[in-house]
Amino acid sequence: MAEPESSPPGPSPLDALAHRFRLGPRWGRRLTSLLLLLTVSVAAGFVISPGLFSQQIPALTEDHLGKPFRANSPAGFKAGRDYEIIHEAMTEQRRQEARGAVRPVYDLSPGVLMEIRASVGTAFQEMRQRLAAKEASPEAAAPEAPPKAQPRKLVLAAEEREHFQELLFGRKDVALDPDDVQALATARFSEVVEQATVALVDRAYGFSEPTPVYIANSREELSRQGPQGLTVRDLRHNGEQTLPGAAPTVVDVREAHMEMDRFASIPGNLLPDSPGVQRRAVLRLAKRLVRPNLTINLAETDARRRQAASAVKDAVISIKKGQRVIGDGELVNETHLVAIRGMRSQTDRLDLVQLQVGGTGLVALLVSATYLFCRAAFRRFRPTRKDAMLLGLLLVSMLGLLQVWVSIADAVQDRYTAIPLEAFYYAFPVAAGAMLVRFVLSEELALFFALVLACLCGVMLGNSLAFGIYALVGALVAADRVSSAKDRVGLFKAGLGTGGINLLAVICLFLAEGKGLTPDTLITAVFACAGTALAVPVMVMALTPLIESVFGYASDLKLLELANLNHPALKELIVQAPGTYHHSIIIGTLVENAAEAIGANPLLARSCAYYHDIGKGRNPLYFGENQKGENKHDSLAPAMSAVIIKRHVTEGLEMARQYRLPKLVADAIPQHHGTRLVGYFFHKAVKEQEGKEGMPPIDESIYRYPGPKPQFREAALVMIADAVEASTRALPEPTTPRLQAQVQKMINLIFSEGQLDECDLTLRDLNLIAQSFLHTLEGIYHARPEYPAGALQAGPKGAALTVAGTAKQDGKARPAGTGT
C-alpha cells in the first residue's frame, strides 16, 4: 500500500543529507530506496552466487589415492557451480589412439614390373649378341669340327658377369651365383630362358591376375604399423586406396619368393625340356630380380598422425552445479584428483568476487526492471520504505532457505536413492513468500515479489527454467487463492488448491522435457503437491503474527480480531461516546456490504469503520450524536468549534498508536475526512460575517481537515458512508426515493470536491456503492405497521409492553435511536 504514514515520521539520515545539500525531500526518499535496493541486491547476490556458501573444495594429493575420502557432509563433496576441467592424461591417451588409428602410408611404384621386364630383355638380348659375336670371331674357331653338331660350352669371364649384373640391376656389386650365370650362358641366354624368367617375375607381381600384387619389404614392417591396414598411394596417378593389413594382394618379398617356388615346382611350368641346372638358375635369378613395389613413407605417415593427434579435442570433465564429485567414504582415484585439482585451479579469489558482483548486478537489474514496470502499470503499486524492507527481508530469507533446503535435500537423497532429487527440490514451499505478501499487503506487491523470487530461484538451481516456471505458477496461484482466505481453514484451502496446481505444473513440465509419466515424474509431482499444501499454510500462519507485530500490517486474521466488538478501544468508545459507537457500527454495516459489491476487502472496510471516530471518545459532548439537549458549541466561536471538531482526528491517531492498530486502519482515521470542510461551522461563520463591513475574509484552512485524501478504496468507502449516514439521519421521512436521492447527492458532492482522486474507485464502483448503501439504509430505516388499540397489552393482567419508538406505515415517524 502507499504512504502516507499514520503520522509524519521523523526525518531519516538520508533525508537530512538530502536537505543539507538542498536536494529536497523527494531526493531523500530516492536515496533511501536506492540504499534499500543496494542492500537487498548485495544480500541476495551472495545467496544466489553458486558455491559462495557451500563447502570448500578439498585438497587432495597423490598420497590420498586408494584411501577413503572424509567429507564434512554425509552427502560428500558437491560442486558449487559448473566446471569444465581438462583431463590431460585422458587427452594424451585419446591422441595416442588417434595416432594409432591412422593407417601407414605406402607409396606404390607401378612401374617396377615394367622396369624389371625391360632390364631382363635388355640384358638377355645384349648377352646373346655378345655370345654370337664371340663365337663368330676367328680366335674362337676350332681347328677341327666335332663329329657331331653340338654347341660348344662357353665360359664367361668375370667382367662379362659383372656387365650382365649391371644390365639387370643397374650396378655391378650384385652377387649372382657364378654357376647360375654360367648355366644361363650355356643356354646361350636364349629367348626361351628369357621368357621363363619374365614369366616367374610376372607371377610374383600378379601380372596375369585380375588384381595386381603389392610387394612390401617384409611382413614385420607391415605388422609394426598396426592392424588397421594401410593407405596405398599411386605415385604415377596420384590416387589413394585403403587396404586391410591381411589383404591377400599384399605380400612381402619372402612370400613372393614362395609363390615363385610353388609355381616353378609344378611340372611343365618352368622349362620342362631344360636341365635342372638351368631351371634352378632361372628361378634364383627371377627371385633376385623381385623387389618391393610398396615402400613405407615414414614422413607422410608421421605427418598424418600428427595431424590426427592435433585434431583431437581436449578431454573435458564436465561437472554441473550440485553434482557430487566424491562421496563420503569413497576411495580416491585418479579421476577424483584430476577433478579436484581442476576445480581448485579455476576457483580463486577473483572468481568468487566475479560471482558476487554478477549475482548482485543480476538481482539489482531484475528488481529495478520489475519495479519500474509494476509502478507504471499499476496505480496501487506504491510500496513504502517499510514495504520495501519487508519484501527485501522475505526475498533474502526465501533464497537463503532454498539454499539450505537444497543442501539438506542432497544429503537426504543420498540416503534414499529411490526418491529422485528433483522431488526434494520441488517440495520446497516457494509459494509461501508470495502468499504471505498478498496476505498482509496487496496483489500488486505479491505479483512483483513472485516475479523476482521465481527468476532468482531458477538461477539458484543451476539456471533451471523449469523450476523458475514452477515457482512462478505456484506463487501466482497462492497469491490469488489466499485473497479469499478469512481464517486458518481458508489458508489451508488456499494451500491445497496451490498444491494441486503445482502437481499439474510438474507433470506438464516433465512431459515437455520428454521425461514422460515415469515413476520419478509422479513421485516428484506428489512431493510438490504435499510440500505446497502442507508447508505453505503453516509458514504463512507462523510468520503472519511476527510480521504484523514488527511492521504493523493487518492481515485478515488480524482484522477479524479488530472487528470483534470486545476490543478495548471499542469498549472504551461505547462507554465514553455511545452515540459515536452506534454511528460506527452503522458505518461498518454500510461499508462492509459496499466493499463486497465492488470487490474491496470487507474486513478491512468494517475495521476502518469501527475505529474511524475513536478520537471522539476524548471529548464526546462536542459531537451531535452524543449530545443530550445541551450543545457546547453554542457558546463557542465557529473557528474554535472547528478546531475542536478537527482535533478528534489527531486524538484518534494517538489512540491508534496506543492500541497498536494496524497502519491501514489507523490511516482511515485522517483519510475518511480527507481535505473536506467542517461545513456546519464554516457556513455558520460565513452567516455571522454577512452584513459586517471591514471584516477580514474567513480563513478557509481553519475549517478544512488536513487530509490526506483517501488513498485506498476502503478509506474512501468510510468517507462516503460517514457523509451518507449523517445526512440521512436528518431526513424527516426516510423513504426510498429520498434515501436514494440523498445517497446520490452525497456521492456526487464528494466526487466533485476531488476527494476520490487518489484512490482507485471508478464510476462503476460509485454506482455499485450507491445501490449497496440504499439497500442497507432501507433495512435500517424500514417502516413498520401501526399497532391497533390494545395490541400492546399482554397477559390477563393487561401488563403494558414498551417499545423504543413507533413508526407509521407512511414513514412519517422514524425509529428513536436504535434503527429498529
Side-chain angles (χ1 to χ4, degrees), residues 183-184 186-188 193 270-271 274-283:
L184 296 176
T186 304
R188 300 298 193 274
V193 173
L270 178 64
L271 301 175
S274 300
V277 175
Q278 291 183 2
R279 290 198 299 270
R280 287 191 296 272
V282 169
L283 179 60

Side-chain angles (χ1 to χ4, degrees), residues 333-347:
N333 55 35
E334 187 66 30
T335 304
H336 295 146
L337 287 182
V338 173
I340 295 298
R341 288 173 179 173
M343 294 171 67
R344 292 181 66 87
S345 65
Q346 295 182 25
T347 304

Side-chain angles (χ1 to χ4, degrees), residues 558-574 577-593 602-617 625 648 652 655-656 659 661-662 664-666 668-669 672 714-715 717-719 721-722:
K558 182 68 173 179
L559 292 176
L560 280 174
E561 298 176 2
L562 294 177
N564 189 342
L565 298 180
N566 290 321
H567 192 278
L570 297 180
K571 294 175 72 173
E572 179 183 348
L573 183 64
I574 195 174
T580 301
Y581 174 84
H582 180 260
H583 162 75
S584 299
I585 298 302
I586 295 177
I587 297 298
T589 304
L590 288 170
V591 299
E592 184 175 21
N593 295 333
L603 273 176
L604 177 59
R606 178 151 60 102
S607 299
C608 292
Y610 283 177
Y611 297 90
H612 78 287
D613 273 344
I614 58 173
K616 292 182 179 181
E625 64 267 21
H648 86 278
M655 294 182 67
Y659 288 105
L661 296 182
L664 288 177
V665 177
I669 295 175
H672 87 278
E714 291 80 5
L717 285 175
V718 176
M719 169 184 278
D722 188 52

Side-chain angles (χ1 to χ4, degrees), residues 347-384:
T347 304
D348 53 15
R349 188 173 184 82
L350 177 60
D351 190 23
L352 297 180
V353 171
Q354 290 175 349
L355 290 174
Q356 296 170 6
V357 173
T360 301
L362 177 63
V363 176
L365 289 174
L366 180 61
V367 172
S368 300
T370 311
Y371 174 84
L372 292 176
F373 174 80
C374 291
R375 185 175 179 85
F378 308 113
R379 185 174 180 180
R380 295 179 60 196
F381 184 82
R382 296 295 184 269
T384 65

